Amino acid sequence: MLGIIGGSGIYKLEGIKVLEEKEIKTPFGEPSSPVVIAEVEGKKVAFLARHGKGHKYPPHLVPYRANLWALREVGVNRVLGISAVGGINKLLLPGDFVVVDDFLDFTKSRKSTFYEGIYSPNVEGNDEVARLLNEKKVVHIDVTQAYCPQMREVLIQILQGKGFRHHRKGVYACTEGPRFETPAEIRMLEKLGADIVGMTGYPEVVLARELTMCYASLCVVANPAAGIAGYRLTSNEVINLMKQKEEEIKEIVVEFIKKLPEERTCGCNKVLEGAEV
Ligand code: HPA
């Protein structure tokens, strides 16, 4: 099943038929919100609000591990994360979509792996993930292609088909937040090759991958990054832009659910092969 994690401004998928809401507890704590199981085009999907109802969790305190684990519990094996970002690359304009293809991690305080060796909790299940946790293994996953190439291709086709301004790739720099960046930090990130900046893309992407899920990130440029526009950034600017894009995002998501082939032709589900020490 496909799981969708909605970011700032995207707390539910308006107009979609909800089947049930599941409150889930995980060995990694409680997720940000209940998991909403919905039906779209005859297919079941799971939706989770990254920041919780009423935007309770700031980026550095989002329970990323519990969120991914809760999606796993309901049978999700592919995740589409939707996020607002600041544009660093001068070619990016507010409102543009970016299909992320790589990341830079500048976070500081987040649990970014499920596999904590002797500190891993015991979990239920009898798949490879459960075995590695229960046997307290140390695991190093490859992130040469952190974002699922099959999901990215489908997103790009949809964005092209709809004629929405978009960029088929982009390097996402994840900062710790919750403050916005300084102009000097943005200049640094630009020199390092970042195209966009956000506060929530990491560790979501790697946690999904550790669970052998496919993960794709659809970002919406909400504002020019600090120092680029020459004015003060506000949360309102970000939320307002995301509200304006809500209808387009929903169109993309519905089309994505329709178009994504059942069969996973990428290598994402093989990421644990040879990964344990
Ligand atoms: N920086 C970090 N995160 C963001 C931004 C930004 O400029 N815009 C939206 N999320």
Side-chain angles (χ1 to χ4, degrees), residues 16-21 36-40 43-45:
I16 277 171
K17 185 175 157 201
V18 173
L19 300 178
E20 56 178 326
E21 260 196 39
V36 176
I37 310 289
E39 194 180 294
V40 182
K43 292 186 187 173
K44 273 193 183 178
V45 294

Side-chain angles (χ1 to χ4, degrees), residues 84-86 175 180-181 197-199 222-223 225 233 238:
V85 291
T175 56
F180 288 117
E181 301 71 35
V197 59
M199 304 175 193
N223 56 278
L233 293 182
V238 174

Side-chain angles (χ1 to χ4, degrees), residues 116-170:
E116 298 201 291
I118 55 166
Y119 303 108
S120 293
N122 290 325
V123 301
E124 284 172 17
N126 48 20
D127 66 349
E128 191 60 359
V129 169
R131 181 186 72 77
L132 291 169
L133 287 168
N134 292 333
E135 292 183 6
K136 315 295 172 203
K137 294 291 184 184
V138 170
V139 175
H140 302 288
I141 57 155
D142 172 76
V143 278
T144 307
Q145 229 173 12
Y147 301 89
C148 173
Q150 187 186 15
M151 290 176 78
R152 290 188 55 243
E153 201 46 53
V154 175
L155 281 172
I156 292 164
Q157 273 174 23
I158 292 168
L159 289 160
Q160 266 169 355
K162 295 206 172 281
F164 296 157
R165 243 188 86 96
H166 67 281
H167 306 271
R168 31 190 320 134
K169 59 187 192 145

Side-chain angles (χ1 to χ4, degrees), residues 1 23 41 53 78 101 107 112 115 187 195 203 211 214 222 224 250 252 276-277:
M1 179 172 29
E23 304 262 0
E41 304 283 335
K53 281 187 181 156
R78 287 156 146 175
D101 74 325
T107 62
S112 54
Y115 303 109
R187 286 195 300 275
D195 298 299
L211 299 180
C214 297
K250 201 182 113 186
I252 295 165
E276 79 187 84
V277 177

Side-chain angles (χ1 to χ4, degrees), residues 13-266:
L13 287 174
E14 217 59 64
I16 277 171
K17 185 175 157 201
V18 173
L19 300 178
E20 56 178 326
E21 260 196 39
K22 291 193 168 182
E23 304 262 0
I24 296 170
K25 289 206 168 52
T26 83
F28 302 93
E30 280 188 31
S32 314
S33 73
V35 177
V36 176
I37 310 289
E39 194 180 294
V40 182
E41 304 283 335
K43 292 186 187 173
K44 273 193 183 178
V45 294
F47 179 84
L48 193 146
R50 186 183 289 122
H51 295 282
K53 281 187 181 156
H55 208 109
K56 312 189 262 213
Y57 296 97
H60 63 299
L61 297 176
V62 167
Y64 295 98
R65 295 196 301 181
N67 287 353
L68 271 306
W69 197 269
L71 291 175
R72 167 184 156 92
E73 295 262 302
V74 300
V76 165
N77 59 0
R78 287 156 146 175
V79 174
L80 174 63
I82 301 169
S83 306
V85 291
I88 297 178
N89 186 322
K90 308 275 190 316
L91 297 173
L92 305 186
L93 304 176
D96 286 5
F97 290 98
V98 181
V99 183
V100 180
D101 74 325
D102 209 344
F103 68 77
L104 290 166
D105 168 30
F106 289 93
T107 62
K108 297 172 186 167
S109 69
R110 309 174 185 190
K111 294 268 190 192
S112 54
T113 180
F114 287 103
Y115 303 109
E116 298 201 291
I118 55 166
Y119 303 108
S120 293
N122 290 325
V123 301
E124 284 172 17
N126 48 20
D127 66 349
E128 191 60 359
V129 169
R131 181 186 72 77
L132 291 169
L133 287 168
N134 292 333
E135 292 183 6
K136 315 295 172 203
K137 294 291 184 184
V138 170
V139 175
H140 302 288
I141 57 155
D142 172 76
V143 278
T144 307
Q145 229 173 12
Y147 301 89
C148 173
Q150 187 186 15
M151 290 176 78
R152 290 188 55 243
E153 201 46 53
V154 175
L155 281 172
I156 292 164
Q157 273 174 23
I158 292 168
L159 289 160
Q160 266 169 355
K162 295 206 172 281
F164 296 157
R165 243 188 86 96
H166 67 281
H167 306 271
R168 31 190 320 134
K169 59 187 192 145
V171 174
Y172 178 111
C174 193
T175 56
E176 180 70 357
R179 64 167 176 82
F180 288 117
E181 301 71 35
T182 65
E185 285 171 329
I186 294 301
R187 286 195 300 275
M188 172 191 77
L189 294 175
E190 186 177 19
K191 287 207 170 84
L192 296 179
D195 298 299
I196 51 180
V197 59
M199 304 175 193
T200 56
Y202 188 90
E204 201 169 89
V205 50
V206 288
L207 292 171
R209 196 161 168 77
E210 282 193 346
L211 299 180
T212 71
M213 294 170 177
C214 297
Y215 182 91
S217 166
L218 177 66
C219 289
V220 183
V221 179
N223 56 278
I228 291 179
Y231 56 78
R232 197 168 73 84
L233 293 182
T234 64
S235 300
N236 279 350
E237 181 180 355
V238 174
I239 300 290
N240 290 341
L241 192 288
M242 291 304 278
K243 280 279 153 229
Q244 281 174 37
K245 299 299 279 188
E246 200 174 348
E247 201 45 47
E248 285 180 16
I249 292 169
K250 201 182 113 186
E251 261 185 56
I252 295 165
V253 168
V254 169
E255 195 71 13
F256 187 71
I257 296 164
K258 243 196 272 186
K259 284 235 168 86
L260 186 67
E262 279 301 313
E263 195 194 341
R264 292 165 78 188
T265 55
C266 52

